[in-house]
Amino acid sequence: MRNAPTILHLDMDAFFASVEQASKPSLRGKAVVVGGLGPRGVVATASYEARVFGVHSAMPMAQARRLAPNAAYLVPRFTLYRTVSEQVMALLRELSPLVEPLSLDEAFVDLEAGGAAWDEESARLAGAKLRADIRAVTGLTGSVGLAASKMLAKIASEQAKPDGLVLIEPGTERALLGPMPVRTLPGVGPATGDHLRRAGITTVGELAEAGEDELVRLLGKAHGHALYAMALARDERPVVAEREAKSVSVEDTYDVDIHDRLRVGMEVQRLADRCVRRLRGAGLSGRTIVLKVRRYDFSTLTRSETLRGPTDDPAVIREAAARLLDSVDTTGGVRLLGVGVSGLADYTQEDLFAQAMPVRSVEEPEAGAGGPRGVGSPGSGGEAAVERPEPAERQWRAGQDVRHAEYGHGWVQGSGLGRVTVRFETPQSSPGRVRTFFVGDPALEPADPLPLVPVLSRPPVRPGAPISGRHGASPRTPHGEAAGQVSSEPASLPKSWSGKGGGEVTSRP
């Protein structure tokens, strides 16, 4: 483990909920819960105001509503979250080439690898400058932990929440870890924690006192060795940049079990198309198609098929998913479906077009099958009667962006009984007025999210050009020579960020 606290862990504060509060002035300082709003929905993120009532991530949404009935409950807007995440990750990459994203709102950074920090003072300045840059560029807050290892940096960022910075000084790690619960350490989940508790081990200090041999006896060789090392504050894991994705998948959970086999097939085709869009968006293809089915009794089945080579062709992936569905019994109903692609590559194999097997389309039922309303099906008589679907009522979801021809940009507060309530405001406005419309009002349309912060009118940074004072002090060499002038402006952002590197890079342990 290195001697200087130059590993940085960034964790954005209540990220999804904070984005919603920044986007909607009327919700700032209020309890906000983001997640699935249906009967089977779960909480994705709760604002700190909602956490006061006991609401937390992964909680069933029905339970959250009982705990905080007056909170604002919103659907996630992942397009906006990814955009903000890319802005944050771009700032991290200005600090160092070694950035290890863990999720949209969390990442490790090796400051030493980018020359951003080499001792306690420079690390603290880099962390403070990063927090200021994030606030300037996104309007959001993030908590920063600085330490000599990844494990300790993550623990430090947890202590820094919300909107703070904590640096763990080298030499103080054992004293800091000792009284903490064993669940603090990576790899100690509920099962391992209960196993250790039954053995009389509840804190990290007690874990260290138990000794390596005892932990190996209790947990097995690999886990025992790893936990003993971490209990002694030893963590040699490097920061790994641009982790290679192992699979791309999409899935949906349904509020009501799907019993109709035709509907199940259509859902699988729709998920396959979404999966292809994600594949192509990442510039990837894959060889193995995976179907996931969770049935009414919560039993989960997975089926897979491996092709001759990688593909991103929607016809091939749809047909493979349909073949996999044929092998699954959906009698009794389906509550979740998912389609994924693994065995990823960054090229396709064109001869896979010949691999697509002809399968019966699930778009229409067989003749005489008597399809559901809205699907053309030949009748039992001589002439086919095709039923035309009635126009579907538009669905407005709480939190959704909309635009009205007269009142401008707003967001859906709620809908029901043929009406939709909209609050008209923008991220830069004061709390706006609420108006109610019929759900079919032609003047009301879905809209794209607005930027949380107006785009900075600064010239872009030339690739490879030095950024003056980007760490909050004049850039210096490890020997301390000044290399430029101090700038108090936030680091500028590139116009786009691809998230793809030229290969895997690792930090020195």
Side-chain angles (χ1 to χ4, degrees):
M1 189 169 69
R2 64 188 72 198
N3 295 322
T6 55
I7 299 293
L8 181 148
H9 180 260
L10 171 70
D11 197 350
M12 299 296 290
D13 298 323
F15 184 52
F16 295 173
S18 294
V19 170
E20 297 300 338
Q21 289 175 319
S23 179
K24 302 171 171 65
S26 59
L27 296 183
R28 292 169 190 169
K30 307 287 181 63
V32 174
V33 181
V34 178
L37 303 186
R40 294 172 177 167
V42 297
V43 176
T45 307
S47 70
Y48 285 97
E49 295 85 356
R51 296 181 192 188
V52 172
F53 298 98
V55 181
H56 58 77
S57 299
M59 171 182 285
M61 191 62 78
Q63 182 181 356
R65 289 184 185 274
R66 289 193 296 269
L67 293 172
N70 296 320
Y73 289 86
L74 309 175
V75 295
R77 297 186 296 162
F78 287 109
T79 299
L80 178 58
Y81 305 154
R82 290 190 186 98
T83 298
V84 178
S85 175
E86 288 175 3
Q87 292 177 318
V88 173
M89 296 299 167
L91 289 174
L92 298 182
R93 287 180 173 85
E94 289 191 358
L95 288 174
S96 172
L98 291 182
V99 176
E100 182 178 337
L102 303 179
S103 62
L104 289 177
D105 61 340
E106 186 180 3
F108 286 109
V109 184
D110 187 331
L111 298 175
E112 187 178 17
W118 48 91
D119 58 13
E120 292 180 30
E121 180 183 1
S122 58
R124 192 181 296 276
L125 286 171
K129 183 64 164 61
L130 173 65
R131 292 178 59 235
D133 286 347
I134 289 173
R135 184 183 290 274
V137 171
T138 69
L140 305 178
T141 64
S143 296
V144 168
L146 293 156
S149 70
K150 290 169 70 173
M151 176 189 73
L152 292 169
K154 183 172 176 61
I155 290 172
S157 69
E158 287 295 324
Q159 292 185 325
K161 282 186 168 293
D163 191 20
L165 182 152
V166 169
L167 183 147
I168 298 178
E169 299 178 1
T172 67
E173 298 94 347
R174 290 285 300 276
L176 176 73
L177 286 175
M180 291 184 174
V182 292
R183 290 287 303 276
T184 302
L185 300 180
V188 181
T192 301
D194 289 342
H195 192 50
L196 291 170
R197 180 179 50 79
R198 289 192 294 270
I201 300 172
T202 60
T203 68
V204 177
E206 292 169 346
L207 199 66
E209 291 173 5
E212 190 169 17
D213 292 341
E214 176 64 9
L215 294 180
V216 168
R217 186 187 69 80
L218 288 171
L219 305 172
K221 187 174 182 180
H223 204 185
H225 284 313
L227 283 188
Y228 181 69
M230 286 190 285
L232 299 180
R234 299 173 188 162
D235 180 17
E236 304 296 335
R237 295 174 300 161
V239 175
V240 180
E242 306 299 352
R243 288 188 168 189
E244 184 178 350
K246 295 182 179 180
S247 65
V248 171
S249 63
V250 296
E251 63 181 43
D252 276 343
T253 300
Y254 304 98
D255 293 340
V256 178
D257 291 345
I258 302 176
H259 292 82
D260 181 59
R261 183 75 178 188
L262 175 64
R263 167 83 188 283
V264 172
M266 294 176 68
E267 288 294 314
V268 168
Q269 299 292 280
R270 183 178 62 82
L271 290 167
D273 288 340
R274 280 175 53 195
C275 188
V276 168
R277 288 196 294 271
R278 289 193 61 185
L279 269 178
R280 291 183 168 180
L284 297 171
S285 60
R287 296 184 63 224
T288 301
I289 316 303
V290 181
L291 175 70
K292 177 180 177 181
V293 179
R294 181 166 297 150
R295 300 189 289 189
Y296 69 99
D297 58 357
F298 286 89
S299 61
T300 303
L301 304 176
T302 58
R303 299 288 185 268
S304 65
E305 175 179 320
T306 299
L307 309 176
R308 289 198 303 267
T311 185
D312 65 353
D313 180 65
V316 174
I317 294 174
R318 278 198 302 264
E319 293 176 7
R323 289 194 296 273
L324 294 171
L325 179 62
D326 287 341
S327 66
V328 177
D329 180 12
T330 60
T331 304
V334 170
R335 60 184 293 119
L336 177 147
L337 290 168
V339 174
V341 177
S342 59
L344 301 181
D346 56 3
Y347 66 95
T348 59
Q349 204 164 295
E350 297 301 333
D351 69 348
L352 284 175
F353 287 106
Q355 194 164 246
M357 294 174 54
V359 295
R360 180 174 60 84
S361 171
V362 296
E363 298 289 335
E364 298 180 351
E366 294 178 352
R373 181 174 179 81
V375 178
S377 58
S380 57
E383 186 173 345
V386 179
E387 293 185 80
R388 299 296 180 187
E390 296 179 1
E393 184 179 275
R394 283 192 290 184
Q395 298 295 314
W396 301 108
R397 303 188 301 164
Q400 177 183 351
D401 290 279
V402 295
R403 176 169 289 281
H404 190 274
E406 180 179 353
Y407 301 110
H409 189 92
W411 58 277
V412 175
Q413 280 203 167
S415 64
L417 301 177
R419 290 173 171 80
V420 55
T421 301
V422 177
R423 185 181 289 272
F424 290 96
E425 59 187 7
T426 70
Q428 285 77 50
S429 75
S430 57
R433 294 188 61 182
V434 175
R435 298 182 183 273
T436 299
F437 309 91
F438 289 111
V439 293
D441 190 325
L444 189 67
E445 295 291 340
D448 292 328
L450 297 177
L452 301 186
V453 174
V455 178
L456 298 176
S457 56
R458 297 186 59 202
V461 178
R462 299 192 316 275
I467 303 171
S468 297
R470 62 180 179 180
H471 311 310
S474 299
R476 296 178 180 273
T477 67
H479 300 291
E481 296 88 351
Q485 299 297 319
V486 178
S487 170
S488 60
E489 294 185 9
S492 59
L493 290 174
K495 292 183 178 179
S496 63
W497 170 71
S498 66
K500 295 178 70 65
E504 185 177 87
V505 186
T506 60
S507 67
R508 298 183 299 277

